[in-house]
Amino acid sequence: MKLKGVCDHHTAGAVGAAVPDDLLHYRLKLLKEMGCNAIRTAHNPFSPTFYTMCDTMGIMVLNEGLDGWDTPKAANDYGNYFNDWWQQDMTDFIKRDRNHPCIIMWSIGNEVSGTTPDVQQNLVLLFHTLAPGQPVTQGGTDPTRGMNVDYDKNFSKLDIVGFNGNGEEVGELEKFRKQFPNLCAVATEVPHTYQTRGVYRSKTQWRRRDFPAPWERGDINWEQFKHRVFPIPDLTEEECFPEEAAHPLYQSSYDNASVRISARKAWQRTCSFPWLMGEFRWGSFDYLGEAEWPQRCGNFGIIDIAAIPKDAYYLYQSLWSDKPMIHILPHWTHTGKEGKIIPVVIYTNCEVVELFLNNVSLGSKPYTGEQLVWLVPYSPGKIEARGMNNGKTVAATCYQSADTPYSVAVTSNKSSAKANSNEVIRLEIDIVDKNGIPCPYAANELSFRIEGPLRLLGVDNGDPTDMFLYQEPHCKSFRGKCVLLLQPTGVKGKGNLTIESEHLIKKNLTFEIV
């Protein structure tokens, strides 16, 4: 069995690190429905509830207790206290978690700088002593951060070799296998790709070349680096969405914004190496931290910080799930682009896909493990994809072009909740036109009036650059969507919610608090 894994942070957007069980279960269920079967806890112990849920849901865990060791990565980093506390803290960590059946492996660190074999050996010995029979790995070294990739030095004490960013580079896994033909490995942090929900660019973007991270500025230039990446062809010769240049901090939701490799190519390589146990992509959800002003969150997730899936979610579902599925990107509201070529990409696990525009077939294509691409002159209306197995349609999906925003459509995970509980009512709000079709560019400001035995837990919209307050009763929609989180108070009765926005029809909802 290949590990179809993600690296996950313990925070959850608007609620920070104080994640209610309801919300944690919702997030894990999203990953499970995507086909994910494993999670790496990056880079610290998680709550006890997390492991219990993974036990019951059948999600394997690579349990990581530390980030760095005795060399601090930041001013107040654990590295300041490592020498005094590592043995006690890791002993407590192992004893707390070692009987959870979900845990299949332990990690003793992540991209550790100033590595010393003695510290590594002491850590491995402690884990082997307290969790005998369970393998130990480490989030691999990464040559782009000035670390020396010396496998014999860095991995000689480990049971399983871990690869982070260097595992995405051309020839790196092959080089390792040639040097160490008897060792197994796992991709602890592969691949690193970017997406911003609802944003599209038809020209490939590379982080180092187009939106460099702070540590890459002034570092080796693109010409020196590009031979280390796996090429991602442009979808079109000219950019189809030049207007997105106004948002340089947003990345494309096509699988074409990356550090070294596409998500598709990474999984193809993972499947091609029998000695590679699987991969843990970076990351699962967008997360607070690792963001440069004016961003509030890291934009690596396949699900945004509001827990709304991006297009990449469906790419992984096509690769990791057996249930017939099909997904189209982008949406089909491109006012002003009539007649211009739009790359229509299909993610599927069906044998054959046929694409239709306004009920006219644009042809069929067989699925061979790659995304399917049609170059379609834009015409407003309905674009539909049908997935077929053995000549029968087993999955279908469509988009319709939207008119101007008119009202809101609300999807709620529940209509009632128990009083004085930690249950969470999660409402996903779409801005829709008069026909109920979602408006993918809508940016309406919404206000929320909450009455009765309900309280506001948080709001979010998934925009990595929006600095609104999470606990205020209003939120601007981003790419047509936002999320509202409510919790019951200690009183039974009816809770009422009113959603209002200028120029939109008001929406009223009632919830039973029992």
Side-chain angles (χ1 to χ4, degrees), residues 491-508:
V491 180
K492 296 181 180 181
K494 291 186 182 296
N496 299 302
L497 169 67
T498 303
I499 304 173
E500 296 179 290
S501 180
E502 189 177 6
H503 307 306
L504 297 182
I505 300 297
K506 183 168 61 175
K507 188 83 169 182
N508 293 299

Side-chain angles (χ1 to χ4, degrees), residues 60-236:
M60 295 176 281
V61 174
L62 168 52
N63 208 16
E64 189 163 81
L66 294 165
D67 187 358
W69 295 343
D70 52 353
T71 302
K73 295 183 178 181
N76 297 308
D77 188 71
Y78 184 80
N80 294 301
Y81 318 102
F82 177 85
N83 289 325
D84 293 330
W85 283 96
W86 74 267
Q87 192 162 6
Q88 181 65 57
D89 287 345
M90 289 301 96
T91 296
D92 293 343
F93 170 56
I94 299 165
K95 286 185 174 181
R96 186 195 71 167
D97 294 345
R98 63 187 176 187
N99 288 325
H100 281 284
C102 66
I103 296 172
I104 61 165
M105 202 183 323
W106 304 83
S107 171
I108 58 173
N110 170 69
E111 295 178 8
V112 178
S113 58
T115 58
T116 60
D118 289 343
V119 174
Q120 184 186 66
Q121 184 173 11
N122 289 337
L123 279 163
V124 171
L125 179 61
L126 179 68
F127 277 75
H128 280 171
T129 301
L130 296 178
Q134 290 191 305
V136 176
T137 187
Q138 180 179 322
T141 56
D142 182 345
T144 66
R145 308 222 183 156
M147 301 175 195
N148 178 32
V149 180
D150 183 342
Y151 295 127
D152 191 48
K153 170 188 173 184
N154 291 328
F155 301 124
S156 61
K157 310 300 180 185
L158 301 174
D159 303 307
I160 305 292
V161 177
F163 281 89
N164 278 21
N166 57 320
E168 302 169 357
E169 296 192 3
V170 171
E172 191 70 16
L173 293 175
E174 291 87 345
K175 171 186 165 186
F176 167 78
R177 184 61 174 172
K178 185 176 180 181
Q179 287 183 301
F180 300 96
N182 296 319
L183 293 183
C184 287
V186 62
T188 41
E189 204 168 291
V190 175
H192 294 74
T193 63
Y194 291 85
Q195 305 87 27
T196 304
R197 177 179 51 79
V199 174
Y200 302 94
R201 292 186 176 95
S202 59
K203 301 278 283 183
T204 298
Q205 284 198 309
W206 296 102
R207 186 179 72 186
R208 187 176 293 270
R209 184 187 69 184
D210 301 306
F211 51 101
W215 58 85
E216 292 171 334
R217 294 167 193 164
D219 198 353
I220 59 175
N221 64 35
W222 175 249
E223 290 302 314
Q224 295 172 296
F225 185 76
K226 66 181 183 181
H227 71 281
R228 291 156 61 177
V229 309
F230 288 88
I232 303 174
D234 294 332
L235 289 166
T236 58

Side-chain angles (χ1 to χ4, degrees), residues 229-513:
V229 309
F230 288 88
I232 303 174
D234 294 332
L235 289 166
T236 58
E237 290 185 10
E238 298 294 327
E239 179 56 63
C240 292
F241 304 95
E243 63 276 12
E244 295 295 359
H247 308 288
L249 297 176
Y250 298 161
Q251 276 80 44
S252 173
S253 286
Y254 292 117
D255 185 23
N256 63 354
S258 184
V259 182
R260 305 172 185 87
I261 194 170
S262 68
R264 290 163 289 137
K265 184 66 174 179
W267 183 246
Q268 289 164 5
R269 284 174 59 75
T270 294
C271 291
S272 72
F273 299 123
W275 49 270
L276 191 65
M277 298 173 68
E279 68 181 35
F280 293 88
R281 70 150 283 124
W282 191 267
S284 53
F285 297 79
D286 287 348
Y287 52 94
L288 299 171
E290 285 199 315
E292 187 179 7
W293 182 264
Q295 291 176 284
R296 83 188 310 168
C297 65
N299 203 16
F300 286 100
I302 44 184
I303 305 169
D304 75 17
I305 198 166
I308 303 172
K310 308 177 190 180
D311 289 287
Y313 177 93
Y314 302 98
L315 169 57
Y316 278 98
Q317 194 174 64
S318 74
L319 298 172
W320 289 356
S321 175
D322 294 326
K323 182 180 178 180
M325 60 78 60
I326 193 165
H327 179 72
I328 300 175
L329 61 153
H331 55 76
W332 206 241
T333 301
H334 305 290
T335 306
K337 297 185 185 295
E338 287 76 9
K340 294 184 179 180
I341 295 295
I342 303 293
V344 175
V345 173
I346 303 294
Y347 299 145
T348 189
N349 53 15
C350 299
E351 295 170 356
V352 176
V353 172
E354 187 171 9
L355 188 68
F356 297 83
L357 178 59
N358 293 324
N359 298 317
V360 176
S361 176
L362 302 181
S364 300
K365 294 186 179 184
Y367 174 63
T368 57
E370 253 293 347
Q371 65 182 20
L372 303 177
V373 182
W374 279 260
L375 298 178
V376 182
Y378 177 65
S379 177
K382 178 182 178 182
I383 191 158
E384 181 183 10
R386 300 174 190 168
M388 291 169 282
N389 289 339
N390 298 318
K392 294 182 179 180
T393 299
V394 292
T397 188
C398 69
Y399 284 120
Q400 288 187 294
S401 304
D403 203 341
T404 57
Y406 178 78
S407 183
V408 297
V410 181
T411 303
S412 177
N413 66 330
K414 57 183 70 180
S415 58
S416 65
K418 292 181 181 179
N420 201 31
S421 73
N422 288 322
E423 290 188 50
V424 177
I425 300 172
R426 183 184 183 275
L427 300 101
E428 195 165 307
I429 301 167
D430 282 278
I431 310 299
V432 297
D433 69 8
K434 62 185 177 183
N435 296 313
I437 299 169
C439 301
Y441 290 110
N444 300 71
E445 186 82 35
L446 301 174
S447 63
F448 309 108
R449 189 168 72 251
I450 302 163
E451 300 171 305
L454 286 174
R455 72 178 187 92
L456 174 66
L457 183 62
V459 296
D460 206 347
N461 62 10
D463 184 350
T465 66
D466 198 336
M467 296 299 172
F468 61 89
L469 297 177
Y470 279 134
Q471 276 76 42
E472 292 292 324
H474 48 79
C475 182
K476 187 178 183 181
S477 63
F478 175 67
R479 303 289 163 149
K481 286 180 175 285
C482 67
V483 166
L484 176 67
L485 304 174
L486 302 174
Q487 273 193 318
T489 66
V491 180
K492 296 181 180 181
K494 291 186 182 296
N496 299 302
L497 169 67
T498 303
I499 304 173
E500 296 179 290
S501 180
E502 189 177 6
H503 307 306
L504 297 182
I505 300 297
K506 183 168 61 175
K507 188 83 169 182
N508 293 299
L509 297 102
T510 301
F511 300 91
E512 295 287 340
I513 308 304

